[in-house]
Amino acid sequence: MVEHDLIASSLQRLDLYRRTFEFLSAQQGQAGGLILDDLQRQVADTRREISLLKRELRSLGVIVEDHPTDADGVSAAALSVAPADQAKALLEQYHRTLVERLGDLVLDGMSRVGSLRRPLVELYIERTLTPVEQVTSGPAAPTLADLLCVPGSRVILADEVGSGRSTCMQRIALACAARAIGELGPVSDPTVGWASLPSVTILLNAYDIDASLDQPSAERDDSAESGLPRLWRAIDAWLRERQLDALVPIILLELERGACLLLLDGLDEILEDHAIQRVATALGEFGECYPHNRLVVTTSRSDSTLRWLRGWNSYRLAPLDRSQFDAMIEGWLQSLSDHSASRPRHDVTDQVAVLQGLLHGDDLIEELAASPLLLALWILTFAEGHPLPAAQGLILWQECDLLLNGWGHSRRLGQVLGLEFALATDPGSSLLQPLAAKQHLSLLQSIALKLQDSSRASPTLTFAEVEALLRERLAALGIGQNQAVESVIPRLLLWCCRRSLLAEVTRGHYAMPRQMLREYLAARALASWPDFPQRAARAADSGWRKMLPLFAYELARGSQLDTAYELVRSLIPSAGLASNLERQSLLVAAECLATLDCAEVPIDSFRAEAQQRLVVLIGTGDADLHERIQAGTLLGRLGDPRVSDPLPPLASVAAGPFIFGMLGGFDDEGPARRVDVPAFAIGIYPVTNQEYTAFVNDTGHAPPRYEHDSRFNNPSYPVVGVTWHDAIAYCTWLQGRLAAAGLLAPDMVVRLPLELEWEKAASWDP
């Protein structure tokens, strides 16, 4: 009974809309050649409703005849242009083209070796999704493939640039296209288990769709006149650009069947809110017109898209966990190892272990886990043969460039800002050429330096301050003041906020949320000053500590090695180490030297002085524990003179009694008793990695368990991850080495200390 009433009501509405359409058509006729936008929109909306009602009635088993005035599609005749076998061949050709286009991950702009692309399936890491509104951690979330296995799915993938959202979309599209032509993927294929696969997969960029919808005729094109949704215009243009005109009626038919997957990437690449709304609204209309198709859109974590796509489910990508983190390193290095342009180590397995160990203890681990783009830059820089973390400045430069300019097929900053074909206000100036990455980044460097000079804990700049800085830089690039103020600067600020390079913390007040990027860009701005080394030395205690060593590596790699040496010379204190500034300057200088050593440039003229000063700092009573640990770590990187001789520094403990044990401690610490211990000598320091490595290299003994872990493998750190048997083997080797060098008395042996000896040494003469 309910279904009968629904059918009757739908038939009445269909008749009403058909009569409305006839009335509107008559109104159009009276308007003659005058185009009335509102009237055209009403006609298009009426046709759309007619199409939806006919589809709904047919789904209920009602035979609905096509009315001559319906025009709710490309008519049955147009849809039947291609026979079934020809349609199948056309779709197979289309999906083969799609597989070829999506099969590789394009790394252009990410690698310094030029054009680089690797098979997507070798690099892809499947990740789970977390609902955007979920604040606290909950149960395991689904993957994008899990959400799309059901026809009619509506998903917003809302995450930041570099999170991997586009790659996630590409992997789904590739899997669907491959299976559409019978190329079943491996077990890791994300679509395995889908009950039904889409017969057509379409991957588009929102920026291109916006350009299509922005054309003056967008509201009254052929698609609108036929009652089709506005989004079809972009899909139609996309197909025709690839000489796939014959697919148009076939895809329309598949949309009617609900057998398509549409993926719309990069909605946040559109700057204007009204344009985002236009695309989102068109996408929503498309979904209402074809309710059984699967739709996905990617954007940033703003809520603007959510306002216009009600009923869609919004998710973000979960950060990489430790196993995924390590798997990405291994997968990428394995894939890059057969690329002639990269320079991997001879043993890829060892290469993987080195980079995994290097990043296990890095402070950036959380940021790397949330940004596969940044992790990929670490991997690519490492594979290209650069020492890390010394070459981290190269990564920061690359990251800034990618966030600002995009990568692969989306390097569009000049296009977004209207710079590539814009005329400067000076009538005599020529047409501007696309700006280089260095010129683009110079726009941000002056902002970073101004923020860095601020004494506030969370520095910000007003819009007026930012505008003045950008106006000056743009003028140097040949862009007139009017164009800069009215067009370029507002768009640049909005773009930088979308790309997380800037943040409008309060209305009209801007900050750089990524402190490391801010400090790096500020260091680059500082380097343009003639007195850069002296300025850097004065700023050694104000947040520049991490950046100056990284910048020293870049200077050494370029043609400014003398500037790098001058920087070190300016940083090494000329007097003592009494003040905090002097100690900090020494530590920065030592880090610069260690970085230059990684760059394989000569530093011997500075090394001995730096080593001696660091040893003094370790014994300075005024230095805090953190400074002393830093000094010891840097000594390990520069070469620790305290453990460079075969015979380690020893403390002699005289023979005689002492009180062994204690009362009131743990059960195995008592009772306290007087014990006589013969004279012995004990090493002042625990055996270091530097000393143990000499043993491993000399004997071929297995290296310690944590040889690649950056938390434990500094040469001056105590060796860890060795067994009792390893320690005995080391003592035997050291005894033989000292005896051969004549450094060991005949009655002396090298062994591990007894508990009695250890406690006496630890509690005896201070």
Side-chain angles (χ1 to χ4, degrees):
M1 184 66 179
V2 174
E3 184 173 291
H4 181 272
D5 291 343
L6 176 62
I7 292 173
S9 173
S10 296
L11 286 171
Q12 290 177 358
R13 290 167 58 205
L14 178 60
D15 180 67
L16 176 62
Y17 275 114
R18 281 174 169 167
R19 284 188 282 120
T20 301
F21 178 78
E22 292 174 359
F23 171 76
L24 293 173
S25 297
Q27 292 289 100
Q28 282 185 312
Q30 294 176 12
L34 182 63
I35 298 175
L36 302 176
D37 287 347
D38 289 341
L39 187 58
Q40 287 291 115
R41 190 175 295 107
Q42 292 177 53
V43 170
D45 291 341
T46 303
R47 283 173 167 162
R48 188 178 301 110
E49 292 298 330
I50 291 172
S51 178
L52 289 171
L53 284 167
K54 288 168 64 177
R55 189 180 304 111
E56 179 181 346
L57 286 164
R58 286 168 178 165
S59 69
L60 295 173
V62 180
I63 298 175
V64 183
E65 297 293 336
D66 287 319
H67 193 280
T69 61
D70 284 354
D72 62 331
V74 186
S75 77
L79 292 175
S80 60
V81 168
D85 56 344
Q86 184 181 352
K88 181 178 180 181
L90 286 170
L91 283 177
E92 181 174 345
Q93 176 189 350
Y94 162 73
H95 282 115
R96 287 195 182 278
T97 303
L98 199 60
V99 168
E100 292 176 6
R101 184 168 69 89
L102 301 178
D104 288 340
L105 190 61
V106 180
L107 305 177
D108 295 356
M110 295 176 61
S111 172
R112 280 163 289 273
V113 300
S115 180
L116 178 63
R117 55 184 64 210
R118 303 303 302 149
L120 175 61
V121 294
E122 295 180 5
L123 307 181
Y124 185 71
I125 300 294
E126 189 68 72
R127 295 163 68 193
T128 57
L129 305 179
T130 304
V132 168
E133 65 273 11
Q134 180 174 311
V135 179
T136 58
S137 59
T143 63
L144 181 60
D146 293 333
L147 297 176
L148 294 178
C149 68
V150 181
S153 302
R154 302 285 185 270
V155 180
I156 300 172
L157 198 52
D159 219 327
E160 303 306 327
V161 176
S163 63
R165 59 191 187 182
S166 296
T167 306
C168 185
M169 295 261 280
Q170 182 177 339
R171 182 67 184 99
I172 289 289
L174 175 63
C176 291
R179 297 192 68 183
I181 58 177
E183 294 184 359
L184 298 180
V187 178
S188 60
D189 184 338
T191 63
V192 169
W194 284 18
S196 63
L197 287 166
S199 59
V200 180
T201 299
I202 304 171
L203 177 60
L204 295 172
N205 187 279
Y207 190 89
D208 298 327
I209 289 181
D210 176 53
S212 175
L213 295 175
D214 194 35
Q215 295 183 19
S217 60
E219 291 291 344
R220 47 184 184 272
D221 63 0
D222 294 338
S223 297
E225 291 175 3
S226 65
L228 295 173
R230 289 175 295 167
L231 187 59
W232 175 251
R233 175 188 177 88
I235 299 175
D236 182 284
W238 185 78
L239 291 168
R240 296 184 190 281
E241 285 174 5
R242 289 156 179 78
Q243 288 76 50
L244 297 171
D245 307 54
L247 277 177
V248 170
I250 298 172
I251 292 180
L252 279 172
L253 186 60
E254 295 304 310
L255 285 169
E256 292 280 352
R257 292 179 53 236
C260 293
L261 169 62
L262 175 64
L263 304 116
L264 186 61
D265 193 22
L267 191 60
D268 54 324
E269 289 188 13
I270 304 171
L271 288 186
E272 298 84 358
D273 277 346
H274 74 273
I276 294 179
Q277 181 180 4
R278 177 173 55 211
V279 175
T281 302
L283 183 60
E285 292 171 354
F286 189 85
E288 291 174 5
C289 188
Y290 303 113
H292 302 298
N293 296 278
R294 309 169 211 207
L295 307 178
V296 190
V297 61
T298 69
T299 185
S300 63
R301 294 186 189 177
S302 65
D303 62 352
S304 58
T305 306
L306 307 182
R307 295 200 305 270
W308 299 311
L309 293 176
R310 298 186 183 280
W312 289 49
N313 298 311
S314 183
Y315 291 85
R316 62 176 180 270
L317 286 157
L320 296 165
D321 60 30
R322 183 75 257 179
S323 62
Q324 293 172 319
F325 193 90
D326 287 343
M328 181 171 167
I329 292 174
E330 181 175 3
W332 278 61
L333 288 179
Q334 290 284 0
S335 181
L336 292 167
S337 65
D338 61 357
H339 190 274
S340 59
S342 63
R343 297 181 295 153
R345 283 80 173 156
H346 297 295
D347 186 354
V348 178
T349 303
D350 182 66
Q351 191 182 12
V352 169
V354 169
L355 187 55
Q356 288 175 342
L358 178 68
L359 293 176
H360 268 224
D362 197 278
D363 294 338
L364 287 174
I365 190 72
E366 290 186 10
E367 186 173 353
L368 290 170
S371 175
L373 170 65
L374 184 54
L375 178 55
L377 293 179
W378 275 80
I379 297 170
L380 287 166
T381 302
F382 180 75
E384 290 162 8
H386 294 284
L388 291 173
Q392 192 178 347
L394 300 182
I395 296 175
L396 291 169
W397 167 266
Q398 206 80 6
E399 184 186 9
C400 289
D401 174 41
L402 293 174
L403 290 177
L404 192 61
N405 296 291
W407 60 92
H409 301 301
S410 298
R411 291 182 70 81
R412 61 169 85 252
L413 177 64
Q415 186 179 6
V416 168
L417 301 183
L419 290 179
E420 292 183 283
F421 303 104
L423 282 170
T425 53
D426 181 3
S429 64
S430 60
L431 207 62
L432 290 176
Q433 298 298 316
L435 299 178
K438 185 176 181 180
Q439 293 172 308
H440 282 157
L441 290 181
S442 71
L443 298 173
L444 293 176
Q445 288 173 191
S446 56
I447 298 176
L449 183 59
K450 185 76 171 180
L451 286 167
Q452 192 64 27
D453 285 341
S454 173
S455 58
R456 289 170 289 181
S458 301
T460 61
L461 295 177
T462 66
F463 174 81
E465 291 174 310
V466 173
E467 184 185 56
L469 292 169
L470 289 176
R471 194 168 61 241
E472 180 182 352
R473 291 303 308 154
L474 289 169
L477 298 176
I479 298 173
Q481 179 171 322
N482 289 341
Q483 182 190 356
V485 171
E486 295 173 7
S487 173
V488 177
I489 292 176
R491 296 178 68 84
L492 177 60
L493 289 178
L494 187 54
W495 177 260
C496 288
C497 289
R498 290 274 175 83
R499 313 290 280 189
S500 299
L501 287 166
L502 293 175
E504 191 173 11
V505 291
T506 58
R507 186 169 181 82
H509 288 78
Y510 294 87
M512 279 192 171
R514 293 276 308 282
Q515 180 180 344
M516 184 167 283
L517 288 183
R518 183 186 77 215
E519 292 175 350
Y520 176 75
L521 290 170
R524 294 196 64 87
L526 193 70
S528 64
W529 292 73
D531 57 345
F532 161 63
Q534 292 74 28
R535 282 176 171 265
R538 292 195 296 271
D541 65 336
S542 58
W544 300 84
R545 189 179 186 287
K546 290 182 179 178
M547 294 305 111
L548 293 178
L550 302 183
F551 202 64
Y553 181 84
E554 295 185 42
L555 293 172
R557 286 182 66 253
S559 57
Q560 295 178 279
L561 182 56
D562 289 342
T563 304
Y565 287 151
E566 187 180 351
L567 173 62
V568 172
R569 193 175 294 110
S570 300
L571 287 168
I572 295 180
S574 57
L577 299 173
S579 70
N580 179 69
L581 177 59
E582 289 171 328
R583 294 193 294 272
Q584 286 297 314
S585 294
L586 173 63
L587 292 172
V588 175
E591 281 206 35
C592 289
L593 285 174
T595 299
L596 293 175
D597 201 26
C598 290
E600 300 180 348
V601 299
I603 64 166
D604 289 342
S605 59
F606 297 98
R607 191 192 302 269
E609 181 181 2
Q611 289 171 329
Q612 183 268 330
R613 292 293 194 93
L614 290 171
V615 171
V616 171
L617 193 155
I618 291 173
T620 300
D622 294 337
D624 61 31
L625 180 61
H626 182 65
E627 290 175 332
R628 293 165 63 194
I629 291 174
Q630 286 180 298
T633 300
L634 287 165
L635 272 177
R637 295 171 61 187
L638 291 172
D640 195 337
R642 298 172 299 171
V643 292
S644 58
D645 295 332
L647 183 65
L650 299 173
S652 295
V653 181
F658 88 107
I659 303 301
F660 176 58
M662 63 177 295
L663 294 173
F666 293 102
D667 292 342
D668 61 351
E669 293 181 335
R673 59 193 184 276
R674 182 185 176 91
V675 179
D676 280 309
V677 180
F680 65 95
I682 189 169
I684 292 177
Y685 309 112
V687 176
T688 64
N689 286 305
Q690 179 176 322
E691 295 168 296
Y692 196 83
T693 298
F695 156 64
V696 170
N697 293 339
D698 196 32
T699 64
H701 195 85
R705 179 178 177 183
Y706 300 103
E707 65 167 331
H708 297 309
D709 196 319
S710 61
R711 295 171 295 178
F712 309 116
N713 65 1
N714 180 279
S716 286
Y717 289 178
V719 63
V720 294
V722 296
T723 67
W724 180 84
H725 296 285
D726 295 331
I728 295 300
Y730 174 82
C731 292
T732 302
W733 167 81
L734 182 59
Q735 177 162 332
R737 188 184 187 201
L738 293 175
L743 299 174
L744 194 67
D747 60 340
M748 293 185 68
V749 297
V750 178
R751 58 170 172 78
L752 297 177
L754 302 173
E755 183 182 7
L756 283 169
E757 294 166 335
W758 173 257
E759 187 163 332
K760 181 174 182 179
S763 62
W764 199 243
D765 189 333

